[in-house]
Amino acid sequence: MDAKHILYLLRKSPYSSSNAVEALDSALVAGVFEQNVSVLFKDDGVWQLLDGQRGAAIERRTVGNVMQALPQYDIEQLFACEVSLNERGLQLEDLALTVKPLSLEEQRKLITRQDAVVND
Amino acid sequence: MDAKHILYLLRKSPYSSSNAVEALDSALVAGVFEQNVSVLFKDDGVWQLLDGQRGAAIERRTVGNVMQALPQYDIEQLFACEVSLNERGLQLEDLALTVKPLSLEEQRKLITRQDAVVND
Amino acid sequence: MATLHLVNSQTALQSCLDVAADDDSVLLIEDGVYGATTDVARALLVLAPDVEARGLKDRIPSTAESIDYDQFVALVETHKPIVTWC
Amino acid sequence: MATLHLVNSQTALQSCLDVAADDDSVLLIEDGVYGATTDVARALLVLAPDVEARGLKDRIPSTAESIDYDQFVALVETHKPIVTWC
Amino acid sequence: MKFAISVHGAPFSSSAAHSAYRFAEATLDAGHKIARVFFYHDAVRTGDSLSVAPQEENTVIDRWAELSEKHEFELAVCIAASLKRGVINDEARDRYEKPAANLHPAFTIVGLGQLIDAIAGADRFISFGA
Amino acid sequence: MKFAISVHGAPFSSSAAHSAYRFAEATLDAGHKIARVFFYHDAVRTGDSLSVAPQEENTVIDRWAELSEKHEFELAVCIAASLKRGVINDEARDRYEKPAANLHPAFTIVGLGQLIDAIAGADRFISFGA
């Protein structure tokens, strides 16, 4: 089967439910299966990127750590919504992962290139 | 045991989950147990009041019908947030239940009078 | 091919509209249909059973087209990708 | 007795603030703690473990007081009713 | 003081079960009593004995069981909410001809009246929503 | 066309299971094929055979079973998501020493790779979120 363009559109905060960490697990597996994977953090999903998380404080896996595994699974197209970052006062140096900020127009183009979009 | 002042603060839309209908069931039981029950519909909870619902279209109980049972269980202190109604363009004649619209200040006073507040 | 946006909550609608292209289709389902009761400056589709369950039939403006599940499937045939906003 | 408002999502915060009296206490827990990262024109309390899990320690302004579960219980002792906003 | 606590969110799907547990523990540490912990809505899933908690994450069910045994309060699961969410005791297993029951032995299936009873008999009522 | 469908919300707690079912049915009526329906996140609860649906409400599990049998597609429940939410098959019952299994026989426990496999092999992927 040919590799597909799959975008993970991650919009949920890291600890409100298990969805954030489960969606990241899914992205990692898509990487293992050698699909053409992109990840876009948007809306409350950008909180997943924040450095210094410590899930142990509430007995949960640290989402920031799971997220940091993405590049090790050859997932290198990592994006964040510029507007979502700005609204939350998040600078790129506050983040635990190197992501490329995208304008709304760039996000529109990113979505158009996909075969499938997986949400959290 | 003395009757307590219990407020049901209902803020969820009727069909997003089972919470709305389950919270109404709980209010009915509080009526049976002869507590001093008030109900305040607020935020998306005011959508529960809208006339003409037909849950059967999505194979669910019709929340509007459950809600209409409140007066039969001697629950007569029925309120709705005035601001929430206005924001959604809802007039009192659009509703399946007679409720008294309350200003934010009146809601503040209503809450202050309670022993317990149950949310949906 | 144009994208189909599936919106199933009212809070997600704005995020969707921010990135939807003009020739994309936006379909509101489940609680997303409440989004059609407010002014939105673009064409929207709503899923009929979800509108009916919520008693919104008379509150959806004529600019929003009501469709059934068969038409929903037809939309999926002619669009790619399908993006869910919840 | 003053009311204790327990807020566990950011979207619920405004609804809470709309009806909270000046001498009420507002405690942000779980995802509610994100609400303290934006400007709010009143005193807020935040639950420390929820702030720590989310990596927000340095992003909560000094106007928001961080408390632990023991202090949470003490607040419940001195307030009635307790209203949950989620 | 006597506390009544209700919990509305499922473990793993919300933080309610964890927050409620930590609060209950702190309440008892402070010398208060708990009248009853009432699990409603998706929180009825807390009483499911078949779930397998992942490593690193909280196994809240066994700790609820220990706490309730030590401090003698009831872990009450609402019957109407639990049947449809697949948390059933032996009686429901027999009545609905299901192959097994899965309610944890430390939990009890009760009606909504027990929530109202707990509220009516307590000095404070607090709910952990979702 | 070949469709891959994923579902993210639990029955009763979200509308996702119902919407996805109606969509799957219409898809097959239109002559399309379904590669696989993948239940992830809270939607793994759809595969629980112990739940007792209330009257008037949808008993979506049996209809999923009928549809998948008739049209020969897989009802796949994600293993990582289902263990912690208490949906287990016989193998997990034995491995984790649980008193019973509760997975409905029409459903299969699979890994996340099966989601990616379904997406890779389908003409369209659609998810019903929560």
Side-chain angles (χ1 to χ4, degrees):
Chain A
M1 261 172 312
D2 295 343
K4 295 247 168 149
H5 285 77
I6 305 179
L7 170 66
Y8 281 79
L9 175 60
L10 306 182
R11 298 179 51 245
K12 291 204 157 76
S13 58
Y15 301 99
S16 57
S17 68
S18 297
N19 283 38
V21 75
E22 288 174 344
L24 288 168
D25 283 341
S26 173
L28 297 176
V29 173
V32 172
F33 275 60
E34 298 188 335
Q35 303 296 308
N36 196 329
V37 179
S38 311
V39 181
L40 170 60
F41 295 89
K42 190 172 167 68
D43 297 319
D44 281 338
V46 299
W47 287 120
Q48 297 181 33
L49 293 163
L50 187 59
D51 198 16
Q53 296 170 45
R54 208 179 74 82
I58 53 170
E59 298 174 67
R60 297 276 293 275
R61 271 165 83 193
T62 298
V63 174
N65 296 350
V66 181
M67 184 202 69
Q68 284 181 300
L70 290 167
Q72 297 161 33
Y73 285 73
D74 293 326
I75 300 173
E76 279 151 7
Q77 298 180 74
L78 301 168
F79 307 105
C81 169
E82 197 172 67
V83 179
S84 305
L85 289 172
N86 290 343
E87 282 173 350
R88 287 161 187 78
L90 295 174
Q91 315 287 328
L92 293 182
E93 58 265 31
D94 300 329
L95 310 182
L97 189 71
T98 305
V99 293
K100 182 165 181 260
L102 295 187
S103 68
L104 296 173
E105 182 57 32
E106 289 168 317
Q107 293 169 53
R108 185 174 307 143
K109 286 181 183 154
L110 175 67
I111 290 172
T112 303
R113 287 200 300 271
Q114 306 303 318
D115 295 304
V117 178
V118 183
N119 62 295
D120 57 3
Chain B
M1 259 172 312
D2 295 340
K4 293 249 169 144
H5 285 78
I6 305 179
L7 171 66
Y8 281 79
L9 175 61
L10 305 182
R11 297 179 52 245
K12 291 208 159 73
S13 58
Y15 301 101
S16 57
S17 69
S18 297
N19 283 37
V21 74
E22 288 174 345
L24 288 169
D25 283 341
S26 173
L28 297 176
V29 173
V32 172
F33 276 59
E34 299 189 333
Q35 302 296 307
N36 195 328
V37 179
S38 311
V39 180
L40 171 61
F41 295 90
K42 192 173 167 68
D43 297 318
D44 281 338
V46 298
W47 287 120
Q48 297 181 34
L49 293 164
L50 186 60
D51 199 15
Q53 297 170 44
R54 208 179 74 81
I58 54 171
E59 299 174 64
R60 297 275 295 274
R61 272 166 84 191
T62 298
V63 174
N65 296 350
V66 181
M67 182 204 70
Q68 284 182 299
L70 290 168
Q72 296 160 33
Y73 285 72
D74 294 325
I75 300 173
E76 278 150 9
Q77 298 181 74
L78 302 168
F79 307 106
C81 169
E82 197 172 66
V83 179
S84 306
L85 290 172
N86 290 343
E87 281 173 352
R88 287 160 187 80
L90 295 174
Q91 314 290 326
L92 293 183
E93 58 266 31
D94 300 329
L95 310 182
L97 188 72
T98 305
V99 293
K100 183 165 183 263
L102 294 187
S103 68
L104 296 172
E105 181 57 34
E106 289 168 318
Q107 292 169 52
R108 185 174 306 143
K109 285 182 183 154
L110 175 66
I111 290 171
T112 304
R113 286 201 300 272
Q114 306 304 318
D115 294 304
V117 178
V118 182
N119 63 296
D120 58 2
Chain C
M1 211 178 270
T3 299
L4 172 62
H5 298 272
L6 207 58
V7 182
N8 68 7
S9 82
Q10 212 183 335
T11 47
L13 180 57
Q14 192 54 53
S15 290
C16 165
L17 296 177
D18 282 348
V19 299
D22 288 343
D23 62 341
D24 287 352
S25 294
V26 177
L27 172 60
L28 311 182
I29 70 167
E30 301 169 5
D31 265 14
V33 299
Y34 289 119
T37 62
T38 53
D39 280 335
V40 175
R42 71 163 288 148
L44 295 172
L45 300 155
V46 294
L47 195 59
D50 288 324
V51 169
E52 191 185 341
R54 289 163 181 77
L56 293 175
K57 259 185 174 169
D58 302 330
R59 309 184 75 84
I60 304 283
S62 55
T63 48
E65 189 191 344
S66 185
I67 68 168
D68 62 19
Y69 275 97
D70 293 337
Q71 292 167 297
F72 181 2
V73 170
L75 276 173
V76 173
E77 290 169 14
T78 54
H79 291 73
K80 192 166 90 171
I82 296 109
V83 185
T84 298
W85 303 86
C86 48
Chain D
M1 213 178 269
T3 299
L4 172 62
H5 299 271
L6 208 58
V7 181
N8 68 6
S9 83
Q10 213 182 336
T11 48
L13 180 57
Q14 192 53 55
S15 290
C16 165
L17 296 177
D18 282 348
V19 299
D22 288 343
D23 61 342
D24 288 351
S25 293
V26 177
L27 171 60
L28 311 182
I29 70 167
E30 301 170 6
D31 266 14
V33 297
Y34 289 118
T37 61
T38 54
D39 279 336
V40 174
R42 70 162 290 149
L44 295 172
L45 301 155
V46 294
L47 196 59
D50 288 324
V51 169
E52 190 184 343
R54 289 162 182 79
L56 293 174
K57 259 184 175 168
D58 302 331
R59 309 184 75 84
I60 303 283
S62 56
T63 48
E65 190 193 343
S66 186
I67 68 168
D68 62 19
Y69 275 96
D70 293 338
Q71 292 167 295
F72 181 2
V73 171
L75 277 173
V76 173
E77 290 168 15
T78 54
H79 292 73
K80 192 166 87 170
I82 296 110
V83 185
T84 299
W85 302 85
C86 50
Chain E
M1 274 186 183
K2 212 172 187 181
F3 284 59
I5 299 173
S6 85
V7 191
H8 296 179
F12 306 112
S13 309
S14 92
S15 304
H18 180 256
S19 302
Y21 176 80
R22 303 258 322 245
F23 178 81
E25 209 176 28
T27 298
L28 297 162
D29 283 349
H32 298 295
K33 288 212 179 313
I34 293 177
R36 175 174 288 132
V37 181
F38 191 86
F39 296 88
Y40 199 32
H41 306 304
D42 284 353
V44 296
R45 297 228 37 85
T46 316
D48 172 18
S49 62
L50 298 183
S51 70
V52 179
Q55 287 182 325
E56 291 183 71
E57 306 232 347
N58 61 78
T59 51
V60 86
I61 187 166
D62 292 330
R63 285 188 290 158
W64 271 122
E66 283 166 34
L67 203 66
S68 78
E69 193 181 357
K70 185 170 167 200
H71 295 276
E72 297 179 340
F73 61 88
E74 189 179 76
L75 300 171
V77 172
C78 173
I79 184 159
S82 64
L83 276 176
K84 60 185 170 191
R85 292 179 179 85
V87 178
I88 63 174
N89 60 6
D90 293 350
E91 196 187 321
R93 175 198 60 205
D94 297 342
R95 179 165 177 189
Y96 297 101
E97 299 177 358
K98 293 291 180 182
N102 61 348
L103 184 73
H104 190 286
F107 289 71
T108 311
I109 301 272
V110 302
L112 274 168
Q114 297 304 305
L115 169 63
I116 310 305
D117 174 73
I119 294 173
D123 300 300
R124 293 289 183 281
F125 171 71
I126 182 170
S127 81
F128 290 85
Chain F
M1 275 187 183
K2 212 170 187 183
F3 285 58
I5 299 173
S6 85
V7 191
H8 297 178
F12 307 110
S13 310
S14 91
S15 304
H18 180 257
S19 302
Y21 175 79
R22 301 263 316 250
F23 178 81
E25 209 178 26
T27 298
L28 297 163
D29 284 348
H32 299 296
K33 290 212 177 314
I34 294 177
R36 177 174 287 130
V37 180
F38 192 85
F39 296 89
Y40 199 32
H41 306 305
D42 285 352
V44 298
R45 298 231 32 89
T46 314
D48 171 18
S49 62
L50 298 184
S51 68
V52 179
Q55 287 181 325
E56 294 181 70
E57 306 230 348
N58 61 78
T59 51
V60 85
I61 188 166
D62 291 330
R63 287 188 289 159
W64 272 123
E66 284 165 34
L67 203 67
S68 79
E69 193 182 354
K70 185 171 167 199
H71 295 276
E72 296 177 342
F73 61 87
E74 189 177 79
L75 300 171
V77 172
C78 173
I79 183 158
S82 64
L83 276 177
K84 60 186 169 187
R85 291 177 180 89
V87 178
I88 63 174
N89 60 6
D90 292 351
E91 196 186 320
R93 176 199 58 202
D94 296 344
R95 179 164 177 192
Y96 297 102
E97 300 178 358
K98 293 292 181 179
N102 61 347
L103 183 74
H104 190 286
F107 289 72
T108 311
I109 301 272
V110 303
L112 273 168
Q114 297 304 303
L115 170 64
I116 311 305
D117 173 74
I119 293 173
D123 301 297
R124 293 289 183 280
F125 170 70
I126 182 169
S127 81
F128 290 85

